[in-house]
Structure formats: C-alpha cells, structure tokens
Amino acid sequence: MAGSTPARLKVILGENNIEKLTLPNGIPESLEDLLSTIKTTFGLKGNFRLQYMDQDFGNDFFNLNSTTELRNLGTIKVIHQQTNPPLISADQSTSSLSLSFESDDGISVASNDTIILSSPESMSSRTQQWPEDFAIPQFSYDTELQLERGNTEYRVSQKMLTLSTRMLYDILKRVAEEIYRYKAYPEDAHFCAAAEALIKKHPCLKEPGSFNGCYGWKQRLKYKMANYRTQLKLQGCPELCVNSLKSKATTDAFPAKKVKKPKRSEANFYPSFPTGETLDSMEKVRLELLTEIGIRDNERVIADKMANTFAYRRHEVVNQEPSIQELKDRWPALFTQKEVRMELK
C-alpha cells in the first residue's frame, strides 16, 4: 500500500535473478515513480513493465497498473520490451528465430523457444460452438478428493469448503482452459454460465455473501482468463497475437480498440498454419491454384489445396480486410459452387 512506512519488495529481474528492493519512504504512489526507482536501483535500460504476484489467485502474476495493488514484502516481475523480428521466409530456419509477442496490455516479451507451427487440429482451431450446458472439467486427483468430501459435508450441514491456494489455482486453471476450448474472448454471459456450472456440480463452493452464490467465481474467472490469454500470447498463439498493439494500425493501437475475434456462429476464426507451412509455402500453393482452376475435372486437387490454404486465407481476410473483388482476383476458386458450400459448412 502506498505511503511513508518503509517497505521491501522482491524483484524478479530474470530467470534465476531475484533481487530485494528496499523503499525507505514506502511504496511510491505512482507507477512511474516505482518504475524509475527500479530502473535506477538495478541499472536497467530500455522500456519495461511490471507484473505483481497475487496470492488470492494462486500466486499468478498480473499486469501492474497501480501501486495500490502492492503490499509490503510482495513480489514483482520485470518484463522487458523487445522489438519485433522479421517475418518467417522459406529460406529461414524456424528454430533460429527469436519471436516477441505482446501481453494483453501491448508490451512484448521475447521468447527464444523453437517455433512449432500448429496443425489444423491444434487448440487454435475450433470446430465447436459454446455448449448449451457448460461441462466442468476434471480437476487434479487431490482437488477432486477434497471437493467430494466437501460436497458430502455440504449436503449434511450446508457447510462451505475452505479452499487452499493450490486448490483455487487448480480450479481456475482447469476451468479457464475449458472456456478457451470454445471462446478466446468470452463474454459476461459465458463467465456466468461457467461459474453457475461450477457451483452446481460442486455446491460446497457456493459463496454465502453472493446474491447468486457464484459472483465471486465469475470475477475470478475473468481475471484468470485474461492472464491465460497473456500466457498463450507469449507462446505465439495466432488468434491472440493478431490483437497485439504492434499488429494494429497506428490509429487503432489501443488494447480495447478493434479487437479481432469471432462473430456469432464463427468457430475456426484464426487457425494456425498446417505443420511445416510458412507464408512463402502457402503463397506458392495459392499461385498453383490459379493454374489448377483452369483445368477441367480438377475438383479434387482444387478442394485439397483450398483446404490446405484455409488458415492462410483466414489470416488474409482478418488482417487485411480485402474487398470482394480483391478476393475474387486472389482466390477465384473460393467463388465456385462447391467451395461456397464448403465455406458455409
């Protein structure tokens, strides 16, 4: 809490690099002053942002927007901003590229991990709509064991289960992953449905002070989902990276402006390229399609290549928003009767 009482913070500067920060005058009232203090104390250069550890959410790290979120002896993490790398080309080794992806507030974090291009069956490809009845997933064995005992006691004495930090983390993580199977950007109604399904399956998790018994769970899931998206964006999830600030036009470079997400009834909105494919290889297949469409009795070949370039086509539509005439020029096969049926399917 900001004030004049001396405070100490644990600062994570990098992997295996943890320092202690002493603040004689207490935690600064403004985030800018705290950033300046950290930069001066540890000799940091360049731009960076901060995340803080929230013990109420399983010690997950969240973006720090105000110093009022901090407490004495708390933990913060320094996230450095990096520049974007060049696009992948056919003659570049994907394993040697260093990509930088942005978190939910638009600041990027570098990752030197090997790039693994997802197949059409990856988690970024969805074929199911939000279910009528949201199914709560199976939790870890110890969590399920305690929930079973808690539900039994609740039926007898109406006593609520007291959750440990580990149990809370496990529940929120598994439910957030299940939500993401259907929606990367769920709306309030989806969080309500998930929270209601949770207390319906496990009544010992009801909140006595809540008007519907699950309002707090809905809010926790919202925070957890935002943090989960940040983690996936750092791993290069295409449908999340497309909404990073560096992927937007200068006039739209605001976190909440022009967010690209599926409309109603859209499932496979922004899939990953098939395994082993790049922008160059996909463009080569597109050029081959321009020749194939002029050949008689060639529907099978065209259908295979159109299916193979589906992700490339979706990226083009979402990113560039081309006109109908531009689509006709680049993808004439898309406007054949058979392909129109496939698109509608």
Side-chain angles (χ1 to χ4, degrees):
M1 187 179 299
S4 58
T5 305
R8 296 177 66 186
L9 295 173
K10 184 186 295 183
V11 182
I12 302 176
L13 299 173
E15 188 175 359
N16 300 324
N17 187 6
I18 302 175
E19 301 288 346
K20 292 182 179 179
L21 176 66
T22 301
L23 302 167
N25 298 322
I27 298 174
E29 294 186 356
S30 72
L31 184 59
E32 290 73 18
D33 290 342
L34 179 60
L35 289 168
S36 178
T37 300
I38 292 175
K39 180 177 288 190
T40 303
T41 303
F42 301 111
L44 302 180
K45 296 181 180 180
N47 296 325
F48 60 90
R49 64 183 173 88
L50 299 176
Q51 290 185 337
Y52 72 99
M53 181 185 290
D54 194 332
Q55 296 181 351
D56 294 333
F57 290 91
N59 291 335
D60 275 352
F61 283 92
F62 293 88
N63 297 325
L64 180 64
N65 298 314
S66 172
T67 56
T68 57
E69 303 286 353
L70 297 178
R71 298 291 182 269
N72 186 29
L73 303 180
T75 302
I76 57 178
K77 182 190 293 185
V78 174
I79 307 295
H80 292 273
Q81 178 177 352
Q82 303 290 337
T83 55
N84 275 343
L87 292 174
I88 301 173
S89 60
D91 59 347
Q92 287 177 308
S93 172
T94 56
S95 62
S96 63
L97 288 179
S98 174
L99 290 185
S100 66
F101 301 105
E102 295 184 4
S103 65
D104 275 354
D105 65 350
I107 306 299
S108 61
V109 179
S111 172
N112 292 318
D113 295 337
T114 301
I115 301 169
I116 302 176
L117 298 177
S118 302
S119 66
E121 292 76 25
S122 69
M123 63 187 302
S124 64
S125 298
R126 293 184 177 84
T127 57
Q128 300 181 41
Q129 298 294 325
W130 184 269
E132 184 175 348
D133 296 314
F134 184 81
I136 297 299
Q138 190 84 5
F139 302 122
S140 63
Y141 177 76
D142 56 329
T143 298
E144 288 287 347
L145 199 62
Q146 293 180 68
L147 286 174
E148 183 179 354
R149 185 171 63 248
N151 290 332
T152 302
E153 189 172 353
Y154 176 82
R155 296 186 188 98
V156 175
S157 61
Q158 300 294 300
K159 182 180 179 181
M160 306 300 175
L161 178 65
T162 301
L163 295 177
S164 65
T165 301
R166 180 177 177 179
M167 279 188 67
L168 180 62
Y169 175 81
D170 184 38
I171 292 172
L172 292 176
K173 181 176 182 292
R174 299 294 179 93
V175 176
E177 290 173 348
E178 187 69 15
I179 291 175
Y180 189 80
R181 286 184 57 204
Y182 306 102
K183 296 278 185 180
Y185 295 94
E187 299 175 357
D188 189 77
H190 300 127
F191 287 114
C192 283
E196 289 171 358
L198 179 63
I199 64 170
K200 182 179 180 181
K201 183 176 181 179
H202 302 291
C204 64
L205 298 179
K206 286 183 179 179
E207 299 167 321
S210 172
F211 72 96
N212 61 355
C214 63
Y215 180 78
W217 282 110
K218 184 185 79 170
Q219 297 303 111
R220 292 188 190 99
L221 286 172
K222 284 184 177 181
Y223 282 114
K224 185 63 181 179
M225 198 66 194
N227 195 43
Y228 186 54
R229 281 198 299 267
T230 299
Q231 294 172 1
L232 291 179
K233 192 180 293 184
L234 295 178
Q235 299 301 323
C237 180
E239 65 178 334
L240 301 178
C241 289
V242 71
N243 288 317
S244 63
L245 296 189
K246 287 186 175 63
S247 298
K248 296 182 179 182
T250 306
T251 54
D252 299 326
F254 299 95
K257 186 174 182 181
K258 210 170 183 180
V259 176
K260 296 175 179 177
K261 56 184 179 180
K263 296 182 176 62
R264 187 164 188 166
S265 81
E266 285 185 324
N268 209 359
F269 176 70
Y270 202 84
S272 303
F273 285 173
T275 302
E277 299 291 357
T278 65
L279 287 170
D280 289 348
S281 64
M282 289 283 91
E283 177 64 13
K284 182 179 178 181
V285 177
R286 186 192 70 82
L287 294 174
E288 292 173 355
L289 271 167
L290 297 179
T291 303
E292 298 290 350
I293 197 171
I295 302 175
R296 287 187 176 183
D297 302 324
N298 205 25
E299 290 82 3
R300 182 68 265 172
V301 175
I302 293 175
D304 289 343
K305 291 188 175 183
M306 286 294 287
N308 191 42
T309 55
F310 174 75
Y312 181 48
R313 197 158 54 251
R314 286 299 305 165
H315 287 209
E316 185 175 305
V317 170
V318 174
N319 294 334
Q320 302 176 21
E321 300 179 356
S323 65
I324 296 298
Q325 188 56 51
E326 289 173 326
L327 274 177
K328 285 184 176 180
D329 293 340
R330 288 180 58 80
W331 302 95
L334 184 61
F335 294 86
T336 62
Q337 185 178 12
K338 186 172 182 178
E339 286 301 322
V340 168
R341 288 202 196 99
M342 292 299 298
E343 289 294 321
L344 292 176
K345 180 181 178 182

